Each structure stands twice: as structure tokens, then as C-alpha cells.
Amino acid sequence: MRSRHYPIAMPAQAYAGKQCVCQLRRGICDQSCVADMLATPFYIACLKLSGRRCVVVGGGEIGLEKVEGLLACDGEVTLIAPDAGPALEKYAEEGSIRWERRAYAGPADLEGVFMAIAATSDTDVNIAVYEDAERRAMLVNVVDVPPLCNFILPAIVRTGPLAIAISTAGASPALAKRIKREIAEQFGEPYARLAVLLNEVRGWAKGTLPTYQDRKAFFEGIVNGDPDPVALLRKDSADDGSGSGEQAVRELIAQAQREHEQRLSAV
């Protein structure tokens, strides 16, 4: 159900002389193509890119940003661009990416590709990438042109295994960056370390606790328990880094394991 407290429609405002860069291809941009953007219910998911081919079209600063984001997730990246900046050249020289030094050549460039990102300054090229990818039911994103995307890229706070995504449905990247900064300050290394410690006992929980509800109670009892495991890990960061906080959390987990085992044996 849509909230009554937030406006759904975005105001359309014409920009005299600004070229339309979406598939509507009007003479000037009137923003009508994004009028219902805030009403779009995006399906939030985390994609596994390891071993999957990803294509970035465009070798400028934005192309570099997208390439680095894909590399951080272990994607197999191909850059298609006649020219590229020094950082992208270095990635190609060291073998981190494959660079095809040419213009986008059409549908054949998307053969066997999982995801395509277009980051060029050429409207016709961006539209071509979008339309070719859509015909293949592929994931495609044309940077900063919401109508030419079937997925959008949120701002990400990433610490170890912990990743927090922030999206404003494309309405304000600047606001998303502010939220990212504030979240990074509040949620960081202690939460990531707790995730690692809890992951260590997932196998035990699956092999020992018979039901989903049992496993849920076990993990929630630790995460929301007293003493607070995050506070213990934060103490490590604030003190000398001796690891006493981590050891205390391990003891909390071990105690919870013993209690659940005793409860099961009494049944």
C-alpha cells in the first residue's frame, strides 16, 4: 500500500536546450519519463557476480567507477571503449579486465553477458546498449538515465561481509550519499566482525537445531542479548585491540550453544 505521506509524482520541468537522453528522444528534456519513478516498486536483491561476464561501455570516470564496483564483486569485466583513462588502462595491462579498444558494435557484444552498463556521453550508443540488452532480457543500466535501466545501483556501505544498500529510487543520489556516510559511521567493523563470528556457528546450528524457529531463537538470542555483542566488539576498537571483546562474544555464543543443547536433551 502506498503511503499517503509521500508524493508519488515527480514534477516535470522542461530544460530549454537540454537534449532528451532517454528512448523518448524528444527535442528537449521535460522529465516526463521519470514522472512515476518514485512509485516504482524495486525488487531489492544481492547478485552473485563471481565468474559472470559483465560489460561496461565507456572508458571515462563513470566507466571507471562502474568497473571498480564490478571488480569488487569478482565479476569478469569487459570494457568496450575506443579510449580509456589511465586507471582503466592499468586494470587492462594487469589482466584485471579485458579491454576491447573500439566502439560498441551491437548485439554481438552482449553475447553470453550477464549484465551490461552503459556509461558513455553518446545518447545513441546508450540507447542501443539498452535496447539490445532488453531484447535479451538482460540486466542493463544506463548511468544517470532511469528510463534506460531495468535495475538501479544503490549506494553501498561495505565492510567485510557486511553490505548495506541505500536507494532513493533514483530521486536523489546526493541524499543517498549522505545516508551512506551516516550509516558508515554508525554501522561498521564491529557489526562485520559479529557477522563473521555468527557465520562460524551456522554449520553447528543447521546440524544441531532441528527447526527454523530453533535456529532463529539461537541467533536472535545472541544478537539481541545482554551483554550486547556489538558493544563488546566496539570496546575492542576503543581499547588496545587485545581481542578481549571478541573472546567475550565467542563465550556468549558458546554459552548459547550449551543452553540450546541442554534444552534439546531435556525434550
Side-chain angles (χ1 to χ4, degrees):
M1 181 180 294
R2 294 175 180 169
S3 169
R4 295 189 305 172
H5 300 291
Y6 303 103
I8 295 301
M10 296 181 70
Q13 178 180 353
Y15 290 89
K18 181 178 179 181
Q19 183 185 15
C20 175
V21 295
C22 71
Q23 71 267 40
L24 298 179
R25 303 180 80 122
R26 292 177 173 150
I28 60 171
C29 171
D30 65 2
Q31 294 196 76
S32 60
C33 60
V34 294
D36 63 347
M37 192 165 67
L38 293 186
T40 302
F42 286 99
Y43 184 78
I44 306 300
C46 296
L47 302 177
K48 183 178 179 181
L49 297 185
S50 297
R52 295 186 182 273
R53 290 187 58 202
C54 304
V55 163
V56 175
V57 182
E61 286 298 315
I62 302 300
L64 171 62
E65 176 188 328
K66 303 310 175 186
V67 164
E68 290 183 331
L70 295 170
L71 289 177
C73 297
D74 201 26
E76 291 187 2
V77 181
T78 296
L79 173 69
I80 298 176
D83 302 292
L88 287 169
E89 286 187 354
K90 185 174 180 181
Y91 283 133
E93 289 170 1
E94 69 188 24
S96 295
I97 66 173
R98 177 184 175 186
W99 179 17
E100 301 199 3
R101 305 184 186 208
R102 57 175 176 78
Y104 177 71
D109 283 342
L110 303 182
E111 192 67 33
V113 172
F114 177 71
M115 174 189 297
I117 299 177
T120 82
S121 58
D122 188 316
T123 298
D124 290 333
V125 171
N126 290 339
I127 291 174
V129 173
Y130 169 78
E131 291 180 344
D132 291 343
E134 274 284 277
R135 279 192 286 269
R136 285 161 175 71
M138 287 172 47
L139 291 171
V140 59
N141 178 284
V142 175
V143 177
D144 208 28
V145 188
L148 299 184
C149 303
N150 58 28
F151 76 98
I152 60 174
L153 294 166
I156 302 291
V157 176
R158 194 183 301 277
T159 307
L162 182 67
I164 303 172
I166 304 102
S167 172
T168 59
S172 177
L175 177 58
K177 288 181 180 178
R178 172 178 173 169
I179 297 170
K180 173 182 175 180
R181 185 171 62 250
E182 294 178 359
I183 285 179
E185 293 171 357
Q186 183 174 356
F187 303 99
E189 184 184 359
Y191 286 87
R193 288 170 63 196
L194 180 58
V196 171
L197 293 173
L198 294 173
N199 184 63
E200 291 177 359
V201 294
R202 286 184 66 196
W204 172 89
K206 288 184 177 181
T208 306
L209 305 177
T211 70
Y212 168 79
Q213 291 301 327
D214 290 327
R215 296 188 289 273
K216 178 181 177 183
F218 170 73
F219 285 109
E220 289 189 351
I222 296 168
V223 171
N224 302 317
D226 184 17
D228 179 2
V230 173
L232 294 173
L233 293 169
R234 278 183 175 151
K235 188 174 183 296
D236 264 359
S237 301
D239 293 342
D240 58 3
S242 63
S244 60
E246 181 172 317
Q247 183 56 39
V249 173
R250 289 186 183 278
E251 291 172 2
L252 283 178
I253 293 172
Q255 177 61 32
Q257 287 175 293
R258 289 191 293 270
E259 290 174 356
H260 279 265
E261 286 173 342
Q262 290 170 1
R263 189 173 300 119
L264 287 173
S265 64
V267 174

